[in-house]
Amino acid sequence: MAELTLEQRVARLEAHNDICKLMAEYLLVADQGYDPDGITAMFIEESSWEGDDFGRHIGRQAIWDFFDSLSGALVFAAHFVTNPIITFTADDRARGAWRLLEPATVNSGGTLESSLLVATYDNEFVKIGDQWMFQSVHVHVNFFEPISKGWAETAKS
């Protein structure tokens, strides 16, 4: 494989920053109540969102429906992501992985529970025009448990 030119390397660095910014904006919208319009605006039409314990949602409308349903169940969430690894498969396509730590307040049948989610994001991105967008989001859940219960029995790698 040929070595990238300086211009290509700079473009990749800018794309890396743009993808990290898109991910941060997605997490901010999630932290502010999971506005389905705000979230789905970041996805291409032929996209998917999948979470081990949250189901698979194909297409913007299904993703919108899913996030609309979260507003009553997840009363509070603070998404903290670390360790970004972004790889490019083409100039307009990339894959990104992050580790997630999310304290949350879950409405469990009218009872509020303090919970903790630990997971990994494995996302695919595509550049449409000058804008990076989500093609797919996959959340691999290690555990999502009430803090009072703990996670020693349920955590998986």
Side-chain angles (χ1 to χ4, degrees):
M1 185 166 149
E3 190 171 314
L4 297 176
T5 66
L6 180 59
E7 290 80 12
Q8 290 170 317
R9 291 172 61 201
V10 169
R12 290 273 169 102
L13 286 171
E14 289 175 345
H16 185 282
N17 286 341
D18 291 344
I19 289 168
C20 285
K21 183 175 183 268
L22 174 64
M23 186 68 178
E25 289 169 349
Y26 164 86
L27 298 170
L28 179 62
V29 172
D31 287 347
Q32 294 174 339
Y34 296 98
D35 172 44
D37 291 326
I39 287 177
T40 56
M42 299 178 207
F43 284 77
I44 63 170
E45 187 60 43
E46 315 79 31
S47 56
S48 65
W49 191 102
E50 181 176 2
D52 293 348
D53 300 331
F54 301 99
R56 184 178 169 117
H57 313 280
I58 308 296
R60 256 197 210 147
Q61 185 60 54
I63 295 168
W64 190 97
D65 293 342
F66 169 67
F67 281 103
D68 187 51
S69 74
L70 285 181
S71 61
L74 271 169
V75 179
F76 166 82
H79 295 74
F80 298 99
V81 294
T82 64
N83 308 5
I85 300 171
I86 298 171
T87 55
F88 292 89
T89 56
D91 289 339
D92 62 348
R93 297 197 176 273
R95 181 172 216 114
W98 286 262
R99 289 293 289 154
L100 169 66
L101 175 66
E102 179 185 335
T105 303
V106 178
N107 183 347
S108 181
T111 302
L112 298 182
E113 294 179 329
S114 298
S115 296
L116 189 61
L117 170 66
V118 172
T120 300
Y121 277 104
D122 182 13
N123 302 339
E124 293 179 2
F125 301 91
V126 63
K127 189 174 184 182
I128 306 295
D130 291 336
Q131 183 177 6
W132 284 93
M133 299 184 77
F134 289 102
Q135 180 173 347
S136 69
V137 170
H138 181 251
V139 182
H140 171 68
V141 177
N142 298 110
F143 63 84
F144 188 27
E145 295 292 343
I147 292 172
S148 61
K149 177 184 174 195
W151 46 85
E153 303 288 326
T154 60
K156 57 187 180 248
S157 51

